[in-house]
């Protein structure tokens, strides 16, 4: 963001001027939230919804780790265990992390580009309100006869077609969740393309806006492919088609290609907004502009592009022709290059800066270290001959949890601490924030690092019980996960404490941060930038 | 607040989403085409091939193995009549698989062929096969079902062994139709 | 090869003890097995190569990060510089990872070619995954059998069975009829599934291949050393996915031939015919 405007550049925003006679404050009571078209309200809804789902999905993770605490089955039967692993993934991906980042986008993109609201405010309301209904349907499948989906979030047929009566509900919920993301993405793209303040050229946009622009395109391109795939599952199950049934001339492997054609871009849909948040935070607390802004934009774009041509690296064991294995191995390795560039640029941003370590910075730094570890294990997984050993073991579980938890989730938590004062007008409790950080950072490693060892030693993923030689690391991993789960209760407490009160935050909140969002008062008034700021 | 660009952009992006949904379905024929070209999935020809009679017969020997796969609940006995033969690429060979209906009702079976290694699939050419059509069995009926095939002389040198496998499924819709409709004879 | 924890431990008190005794405990396995086939050696070598590259690069990157965090602190009076890019530096850190990746690809590709080369095999074994057991067929020998979880493990793995898994030999890694193979023979395997997708995985062989209904996968292995090797199904296949282990007993060739002859004699013709 080296070329972006300095705070107050060309525009001073006096809160006294903020209200024009054609604008109103929020409506009162429940209808405010039901019918709101305000990007800040909708952003808040998304974020609170994501926080709730973090605990729903987290509770499932706790069931999983409780059962895996020791060998033998103590708490749940294998079928329910499979429902837990499946639902944990679906909830965390579609119900928690994606809505969280859409919430950030809603709140921050208009503020960052000097727009009064999102471009399509009514669509925005609808995008959000689909979510609670879809998620309720998804969770309710657990209580239907035959239970919820138990074939893994990847929904591989023929196994996923053995599901009980809940199957169409699962598919319907996935369709709705996908629809919500697509509508949200359309809104974000239109907002970024059409609503920028005068002078806010594309290459002056904060990196968070850039990463979301690319994410939104990935979503629109990838999510409908999943919708197509699950629709075919549905017609195979109920309408006699044979897309994936060998008996009727179909091929179960075809679904895996369709799924991962969506699934790999999805990985970047989840991580790119976190890249964006971290790219806002590290410069702020280094008191130095982001290093290599243009390279960061290009790296993000090339990651987005490459994500569409690597999908079959999830499928090395299905038996591909040698040429296919080579291609997907090499294209996957290529992704390491733009990713490495990003890590180096963040490090260079800190170089010769003037660093302080408030909670958002701590989470961003943990992101930097731990996402890098996840990146390394990702590179290892790309090596096809070694992948024959890693595939579908706890090594993979460790890998993707390193990129998703201390990666994406820490990015979201860092963003929450970073912007909470802007949203609420109160400073969060820095001491509690730091306690939350250290508890999370330690327990997340205790949880997931041993899983590398388990996978290398030969423990497959998605099993409810295991041979006794895996007992010790599993116990440690479970202890870590309970600690991590409890730490997030502290996070929820800190968030609600900040909403209710606390030290007043200034407009800038931090030490001379860059960006338009810091030129409006804290809390950000209900309507901002009714008059577009001028960006030099 | 008029933003003239919004409608056009929304339509474009909506069009992209709809297009990608369609692309998901387009992947089905694309994948089929890929399978035929590369042999992914070990797929062989599903309709009888015609072969030029003046094929040059190669001197090298390739082992062709025959295996059968059944679902555990499948009500069949199903096995190859010979487990393997040595063939010369370019020459036609005949073999047969034996199947018996173990139920006391009529059954329709569909055989799904697969060739391993996948790279050999497009060089394994079937001129006659019971897998091209559905197979009707009366109660307790057992019979040999023929396959005539040739290995293309262009088969890559590093392949010295090919496995032809059949998975024999009960064709449930066809069975239901057969039982309810007029009795039809065996199609072979 | 999997080793089994021999000491029965009290869960929490033992935890501290075992952490202290970490290097001595076989159960605290940290790394991939080297295995007993040429494929597993290749996988292990590549794994170690890329692990070391990642470790070295990681140490370098983390050292720079830690140095920056420790040095450029506001509390130490650091004054921020204003530079925001350096074409030179950015070129270097794009080119270096590219070179490392080219090197890795160069090392990996030949191994992949060797792994996929199934020619000159001496025998074929067909492996079929069922919910939830394996079937092994010696192709051309007319002999096949099912292999299911051993009864002792099966009893212990029931919900609240009251049996301590630590008292069950090879808990969840024991079957009633192991697959028996000769050592020193290149064995080609065919893999397929009868109902849903399974994956046949023996870590000591570095073989993990999906068993897909309607589709035959193939691969090969040659076991260097006689012994018993254990693995598990590696693709979620339903409720008992965790309970369909794989046990392979590798015997010297002559012993294997004798075993096979005995088995074929013992099997009634009906069993032979049933596939």
């Amino acid at each position: 963001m080296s070329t972006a405007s300095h705070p107050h550049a060309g525009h001073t925003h006096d809160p006294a001027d903020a209200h024009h006679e054609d604008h109103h404050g929020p409506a009162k009571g429940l209808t405010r939230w039901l019918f709101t078209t305000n990007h800040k309200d909708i952003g808040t809804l998304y974020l609170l919804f994501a926080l709730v789902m973090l605990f729903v999905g987290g509770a499932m993770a706790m069931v999983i780790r409780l059962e895996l605490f020791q060998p033998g089955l103590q708490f749940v039967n294998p079928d329910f265990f499979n429902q837990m692993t499946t639902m944990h993934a679906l909830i965390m991906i579609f119900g928690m992390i994606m809505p969280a980042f859409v919430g950030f986008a809603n709140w921050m993109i208009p503020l960052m580009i000097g727009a009064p609201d999102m471009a399509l405010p009514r669509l925005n309301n609808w995008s959000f309100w689909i979510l609670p209904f879809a998620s309720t349907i998804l969770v309710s499948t657990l209580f239907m006869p035959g239970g919820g989906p138990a074939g893994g979030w990847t929904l591989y047929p023929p196994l996923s077609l053995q599901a009980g009566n809940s199957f169409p509900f699962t598919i319907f919920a996935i369709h709705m969740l996908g629809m919500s993301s697509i509508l949200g993405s359309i809104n974000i793209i239109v907002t970024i393309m059409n609503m920028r303040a005068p002078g806010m050229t594309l290459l002056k946009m904060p990196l968070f806006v850039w990463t979301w622009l690319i994410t939104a395109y990935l979503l629109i391109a990838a999510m409908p492919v999943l919708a197509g795939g699950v629709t075919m599952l549905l017609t195979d199950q109920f309408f006699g088609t044979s897309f994936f049934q060998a008996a009727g001339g179909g091929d179960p492997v075809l679904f895996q290609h369709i799924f991962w054609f969506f699934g790999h871009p999805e990985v970047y849909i989840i991580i790119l907004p976190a890249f964006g948040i971290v790219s806002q935070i590290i410069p702020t607390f280094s008191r130095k502009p982001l290093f290599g802004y243009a390279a960061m934009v290009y790296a993000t774009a090339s990651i987005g592009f490459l994500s569409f041509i690597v999908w079959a690296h999830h499928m090395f064991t299905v038996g591909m022709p040698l040429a296919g294995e080579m291609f997907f191995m090499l294209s996957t390795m290529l992704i390491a290059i733009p990713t490495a560039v990003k890590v180096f640029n963040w490090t260079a941003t800190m170089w010769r800066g003037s660093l302080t370590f408030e909670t958002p910075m701590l989470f961003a730094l943990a992101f930097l270290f731990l996402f890098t570890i996840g990146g390394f294990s990702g590179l290892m997984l790309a090596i096809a001959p070694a992948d024959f050993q890693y595939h579908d073991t706890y090594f993979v579980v460790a890998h993707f949890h390193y990129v998703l938890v201390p990666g994406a989730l820490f990015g979201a938590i860092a963003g929450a601490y970073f912007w909470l004062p802007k949203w609420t007008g109160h400073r969060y409790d820095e001491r509690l924030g730091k306690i939350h950080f250290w508890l999370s950072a330690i327990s997340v490693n205790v949880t997931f690092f041993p899983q590398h060892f388990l996978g290398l030693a030969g423990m497959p993923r998605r099993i409810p019980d295991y041979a006794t030689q895996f007992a010790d690391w599993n116990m440690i991993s479970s202890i870590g996960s309970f600690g991590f789960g409890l730490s997030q209760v502290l996070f929820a407490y800190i968030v609600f404490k900040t909403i209710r009160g606390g030290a007043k935050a200034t407009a800038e909140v931090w030490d001379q941060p860059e960006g338009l969002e810091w030129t409006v008062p804290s809390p950000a008034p209900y309507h901002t930038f009714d008059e577009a700021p001028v960006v030099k | 607040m008029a933003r003239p660009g919004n409608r056009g952009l929304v339509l474009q992006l909506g069009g992209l989403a709809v297009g990608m949904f369609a692309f998901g379905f387009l992947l089905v024929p694309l994948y089929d085409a890929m399978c035929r070209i590369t042999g992914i999935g070990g797929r062989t020809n599903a309709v009888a091939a015609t072969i030029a009679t003046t094929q040059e017969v190669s001197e090298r020997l390739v082992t062709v193995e025959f295996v059968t796969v059944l679902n555990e609940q499948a009500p069949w006995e199903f096995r190859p009549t010979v487990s393997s033969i040595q063939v010369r690429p370019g020459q036609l060979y005949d073999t047969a698989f034996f199947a018996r209906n173990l139920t006391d009702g009529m059954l329709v079976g569909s055989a799904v062929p697969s060739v391993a290694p996948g790279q050999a699939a497009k060089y394994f050419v079937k001129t006659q096969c019971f897998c091209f059509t559905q197979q009707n069995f009366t109660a307790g009926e057992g019979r040999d079902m023929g396959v005539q095939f040739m290995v293309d002389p262009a088969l890559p040198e590093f392949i010295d062994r090919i496995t032809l496998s059949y998975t024999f499924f009960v064709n449930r819709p066809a069975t239901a139709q057969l039982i309810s409709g007029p009795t039809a004879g065996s199609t072979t | 090869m999997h080793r089994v924890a021999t000491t029965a431990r009290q869960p929490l008190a033992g935890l501290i003890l075992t952490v202290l005794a970490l290097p001595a405990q076989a159960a605290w396995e940290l790394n991939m097995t080297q295995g007993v086939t040429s494929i597993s050696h290749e996988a292990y070598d590549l794994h170690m190569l890329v692990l070391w590259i990642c470790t070295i690069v990681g140490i370098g990157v983390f050292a720079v990060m830690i140095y920056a965090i420790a040095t450029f602190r506001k509390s130490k009076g650091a004054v921020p510089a204003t530079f925001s890019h350096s074409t030179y530096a950015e070129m270097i850190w794009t080119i270096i990872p590219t070179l490392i990746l080219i090197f890795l690809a160069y090392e990996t590709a030949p191994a992949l070619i060797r792994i996929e080369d199934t020619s000159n095999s001496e025998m074929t074994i067909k492996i079929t995954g069922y919910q939830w057991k394996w079937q092994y067929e010696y192709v051309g020998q007319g002999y096949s059998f099912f292999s299911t979880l051993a009864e002792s493990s099966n009893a212990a793995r029931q919900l609240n069975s009251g049996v301590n898994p630590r008292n069950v030999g090879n808990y969840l890694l024991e079957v009633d009829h192991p697959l028996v193979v000769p050592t020193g023979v290149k064995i080609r395997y065919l893999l397929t599934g009868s109902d849903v997708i399974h994956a046949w995985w023996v870590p000591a062989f570095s073989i993990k291949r999906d068993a897909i209904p309607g589709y035959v996968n193939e691969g090969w292995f040659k076991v260097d050393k006689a012994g018993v090797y254990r693995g598990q199904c590696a693709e979620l296949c339903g409720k008992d996915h965790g309970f369909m282990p794989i046990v392979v007993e590798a015997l010297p060739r002559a012993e294997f031939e004798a075993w096979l002859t005995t088995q074929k004699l013992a099997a009634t013709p009906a069993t032979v015919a049933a596939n």
Side-chain angles (χ1 to χ4, degrees):
Chain A
M1 240 186 20
S2 56
T3 53
S5 69
H6 288 281
H8 306 293
H11 177 71
T12 45
H13 202 100
D14 186 342
D17 294 339
H19 290 258
H20 303 275
E21 47 287 341
D22 58 334
H23 281 125
H24 310 284
K28 294 278 173 277
L30 191 64
T31 50
R32 165 180 177 181
W33 303 105
L34 274 177
F35 303 124
T36 184
T37 56
N38 180 286
H39 75 99
K40 300 184 184 76
D41 279 355
I42 294 174
T44 304
L45 284 172
Y46 267 112
L47 289 164
L48 291 178
F49 176 76
L51 189 60
V52 171
M53 296 312 274
L54 175 68
F55 287 96
V56 175
M60 293 170 182
M62 294 299 102
V63 173
I64 293 167
R65 285 315 321 174
L66 190 65
E67 184 52 67
L68 292 174
F69 187 70
Q70 356 172 25
L73 289 175
Q74 291 85 20
F75 300 99
V76 297
N77 61 45
D79 186 53
F80 188 72
F81 182 90
N82 289 346
Q83 293 177 37
M84 286 292 104
T85 54
T86 306
M87 291 290 272
H88 166 70
L90 290 172
I91 295 279
M92 285 303 201
I93 292 167
F94 295 108
M96 191 280 286
I97 199 76
M98 289 168 69
F101 286 132
V102 179
F104 281 106
N106 261 292
W107 248 104
M108 301 318 298
I109 287 178
L111 288 180
M112 285 175 156
I113 62 173
D117 204 311
M118 295 294 280
L120 312 160
R122 278 180 298 247
L123 186 74
N124 206 9
N125 173 291
W126 199 41
S127 309
F128 171 75
W129 280 107
I130 291 175
L131 276 182
F133 292 100
S135 302
T136 307
I137 291 173
L138 189 57
V139 174
S140 71
T141 59
L142 287 175
F143 305 101
M144 294 180 186
W153 84 282
T154 49
L155 301 167
Y156 282 4
L159 181 64
S160 61
L161 299 177
Q162 292 182 346
N165 297 335
S166 66
F167 184 69
F169 293 93
T170 310
I171 300 296
F172 185 51
I174 291 172
H175 271 144
M176 283 168 74
L177 292 165
M179 184 68 81
S180 163
S181 319
I182 291 168
L183 296 178
S185 299
I186 290 179
N187 207 349
I188 286 167
I189 294 176
V190 177
T191 306
I192 296 172
M193 287 306 186
N194 289 356
M195 303 273 288
R196 295 192 310 277
M200 178 62 81
T201 58
L202 283 175
L203 281 173
K204 278 187 188 168
M205 296 193 308
L207 211 74
F208 176 71
V209 181
W210 256 114
T211 53
W212 243 115
L213 181 63
I214 292 161
T215 302
Y217 272 107
L218 292 185
L219 259 166
I220 294 176
M223 199 57 93
V225 177
L226 175 72
V230 297
T231 304
M232 287 183 242
L233 279 181
L234 200 68
T235 60
D236 266 14
Q237 178 81 323
F238 294 108
F239 302 105
T241 59
S242 302
F243 289 108
F244 311 127
Q245 315 221 39
D251 188 338
V253 178
L254 169 62
F255 179 82
Q256 300 187 15
H257 284 286
I258 294 174
F259 183 86
W260 289 113
F261 186 86
F262 144 81
H264 204 79
E266 171 68 20
V267 172
Y268 294 98
I269 287 166
I270 291 170
I271 199 67
L272 289 184
F275 284 177
I277 290 172
V278 167
S279 302
Q280 302 301 125
I281 291 173
I282 290 181
T284 304
F285 296 96
S286 303
R287 292 165 181 77
K288 202 168 142 274
L290 183 69
F291 186 90
Y293 171 85
M296 289 298 244
V297 172
Y298 298 137
T300 311
S302 51
I303 290 174
F305 168 74
L306 287 172
S307 72
F308 280 101
I309 59 163
V310 297
W311 76 89
H313 68 218
H314 296 267
M315 303 166 54
F316 282 139
T317 62
V318 302
M320 257 183 282
L322 188 62
E325 284 178 332
M326 292 275 189
F327 173 79
F328 287 109
M329 182 170 83
L330 297 177
S331 61
T332 304
M333 288 165 131
L334 272 183
I335 288 196
I337 296 168
T339 313
V341 166
K342 284 188 157 282
V343 171
F344 295 144
N345 281 2
W346 287 320
T347 310
T349 305
M350 296 193 294
W351 196 258
R352 290 177 55 205
S354 174
L355 278 66
T356 53
F357 301 91
E358 288 85 347
T359 311
M361 182 63 164
L362 289 176
F363 273 100
L365 288 174
F367 171 97
L368 197 52
F369 279 87
L370 301 178
F371 175 80
T372 304
I373 291 178
F376 282 136
S377 55
L379 177 64
M380 295 172 74
L381 283 158
I383 309 294
D387 181 72
F388 295 138
Q389 290 283 45
Y390 307 138
H391 181 83
D392 265 343
T393 67
Y394 261 80
F395 190 81
V396 177
V397 176
H399 158 71
F400 67 72
H401 278 97
Y402 259 88
V403 292
L404 292 179
V405 183
L409 181 61
F410 274 24
I413 292 174
Y417 280 113
F418 189 50
W419 286 308
L420 256 181
K422 177 58 61 188
W423 300 334
T424 63
H426 305 127
R427 302 199 73 103
Y428 60 87
D429 186 327
E430 191 64 56
R431 196 180 58 92
L432 283 182
K434 284 191 168 134
I435 292 172
H436 171 229
F437 167 75
W438 285 109
L439 288 175
S440 300
I442 292 167
S443 59
V444 83
N445 283 295
V446 175
T447 308
F448 295 115
F449 210 83
Q451 296 184 358
H452 290 113
F453 306 141
L454 283 170
L456 293 176
M459 179 169 163
R461 64 190 283 208
R462 292 166 163 171
I463 56 173
D465 193 6
Y466 46 81
T468 48
Q469 75 254 35
F470 306 129
D472 302 310
W473 287 125
N474 265 303
M475 188 176 283
I476 289 183
S477 179
S478 286
I479 291 168
S481 73
F482 302 148
F484 188 77
L486 283 175
S487 312
Q488 303 326 306
V489 177
L490 177 60
F491 175 60
Y493 171 74
I494 295 169
V495 169
F496 283 103
K497 189 168 173 247
T498 312
I499 293 171
R500 294 176 65 92
K504 291 291 288 172
T506 60
E508 288 201 325
V509 183
W510 310 110
D511 186 6
Q512 296 189 319
E514 276 198 69
L516 290 173
E517 76 263 40
W518 310 110
T519 66
V520 303
S522 303
Y526 202 56
H527 298 286
T528 40
F529 298 126
D530 289 331
E531 223 171 281
V534 177
V535 182
K536 280 183 189 149
Chain B
M1 292 290 279
R3 291 176 300 269
N6 283 9
R7 172 180 280 271
L9 194 51
V10 169
L11 285 177
Q12 278 176 29
L13 295 170
L16 176 64
V18 173
M20 289 309 290
F21 183 72
F23 177 74
F25 286 86
L26 189 65
L27 280 173
V28 178
L30 278 179
Y31 177 74
D32 271 345
M34 276 295 281
C35 287
R36 274 197 305 276
I37 296 165
T38 63
I40 301 175
R43 278 198 220 166
T44 60
N45 54 315
V47 289
T50 44
I51 294 173
T53 44
T54 54
Q55 275 284 355
E56 196 172 317
V57 177
S58 160
E59 283 303 303
R60 68 192 264 231
L61 279 173
V62 177
T63 306
V64 178
E65 292 172 336
F66 306 103
V67 299
T68 58
V69 186
L70 280 176
N71 190 295
E72 195 180 3
Q73 285 84 33
W76 313 98
E77 179 190 335
F78 183 46
R79 57 183 158 79
T81 51
V82 286
S83 63
S84 74
I85 49 178
Q86 300 262 308
V87 305
R88 291 193 190 280
Q91 196 168 320
L92 277 172
Y93 292 87
D94 284 290
T95 186
F97 285 69
F98 177 81
R100 183 192 302 281
N101 175 1
L102 299 178
T103 69
D104 45 15
M106 284 183 292
L107 275 184
V108 181
S110 296
V112 176
S114 176
V115 166
Q119 294 99 301
K122 67 174 170 180
Y123 304 102
F124 190 89
V125 186
K126 302 189 297 299
T127 52
Q128 285 171 31
C129 178
F130 59 95
C131 58
F132 296 148
T133 54
Q134 59 189 45
Q135 299 290 323
N136 298 1
F137 285 85
T138 56
E141 179 190 349
R143 65 166 185 272
D144 282 347
M145 304 180 295
V147 182
Q148 187 181 58
F149 67 92
M150 187 197 80
V151 175
D152 191 319
L155 181 78
E157 278 299 321
F158 64 87
I159 299 173
D160 59 7
R161 188 178 284 266
I162 300 175
T163 302
L164 173 64
S165 133
Y166 286 104
T167 311
F168 209 42
F169 294 97
V170 176
N171 189 332
R172 302 221 176 266
T175 303
Q177 208 177 14
L178 186 71
I179 290 168
S180 63
T183 311
S186 160
T187 54
T188 42
Chain C
M1 271 298 297
H2 293 298
R3 276 155 282 182
V4 176
T6 44
T7 41
R9 291 179 209 97
Q10 295 297 315
L12 272 171
L15 189 71
I16 301 146
L17 277 174
T18 44
V19 168
L20 294 174
L22 194 140
Q25 286 290 335
W28 296 93
E29 199 140 359
L30 297 176
N31 206 355
M32 186 189 282
T33 173
Q34 292 200 39
V36 292
T37 63
S38 62
I39 296 176
S40 70
H41 295 317
E42 301 216 55
Y44 177 82
D45 290 345
L46 282 169
H47 160 69
M48 291 314 287
L49 174 72
V50 64
L51 181 60
W52 278 114
I53 289 176
C54 288
T55 307
I56 291 164
V57 174
I59 287 171
V61 173
F62 288 166
V64 175
M65 288 179 193
I66 290 166
Y67 179 82
I69 291 168
T71 313
F72 307 117
R73 288 172 168 252
K74 194 176 183 220
S75 58
K76 284 189 174 176
V79 179
T82 52
F83 66 88
S84 66
H85 60 275
S86 153
T87 314
Y88 187 63
E90 289 177 70
M91 291 274 282
I92 286 179
W93 67 51
T94 311
I95 290 168
I96 289 177
T98 311
L99 292 177
I100 293 174
L101 290 176
I102 291 171
F103 168 72
L104 261 179
Y106 175 79
E107 286 290 309
T108 309
L112 204 50
I113 292 169
R114 285 191 292 271
I115 287 170
E116 298 295 341
D117 177 12
T118 56
S119 61
N120 297 316
S121 61
E122 289 183 54
M123 64 183 284
T124 304
I125 294 175
K126 192 186 82 177
I127 303 167
T128 313
Y130 288 78
Q131 282 176 321
W132 292 273
K133 59 190 167 191
W134 296 98
Q135 186 195 31
Y136 300 109
E137 178 185 340
Y138 297 85
V139 173
Q141 302 284 341
Y143 179 60
S144 71
F145 60 91
F146 283 98
S147 178
T148 53
L149 181 67
E151 199 37 57
S152 55
S153 288
N154 196 36
R157 65 107 176 167
Q158 302 300 324
L159 189 59
N160 298 315
S161 65
V163 182
N164 184 350
R166 292 172 200 276
N167 299 334
V168 178
N170 292 318
Y171 178 60
L172 297 187
L173 293 176
E174 191 72 277
V175 295
D176 51 358
H177 304 293
L179 172 66
V180 181
V181 298
T183 55
V185 172
K186 182 165 182 176
I187 299 163
R188 176 169 167 268
Y189 62 87
L190 302 169
L191 255 177
T192 188
S194 101
D195 30 46
V196 299
I197 302 174
H198 305 263
W200 199 76
W201 180 31
V202 179
F205 299 173
S206 186
I207 287 172
K208 189 184 286 128
R209 274 289 153 105
D210 290 357
I212 303 164
Y215 169 30
V216 174
N217 240 324
E218 67 154 16
W220 67 276
F221 60 90
K222 186 158 108 180
V223 187
D224 298 335
K225 223 174 84 193
V228 178
Y229 305 102
R230 297 172 198 280
Q232 284 179 270
C233 177
E235 178 67 56
L236 180 62
C237 58
K239 72 178 169 67
D240 287 348
H241 162 56
F243 309 103
M244 47 182 290
I246 295 151
V247 180
V248 183
E249 198 180 338
L251 297 176
R253 188 160 197 169
E255 283 178 46
F256 166 77
E257 300 290 355
W259 173 86
L260 187 61
T261 313
T262 324
Q263 295 299 315
K264 278 158 72 176
L265 280 176
T268 63
T271 329
V272 176
N275 280 288

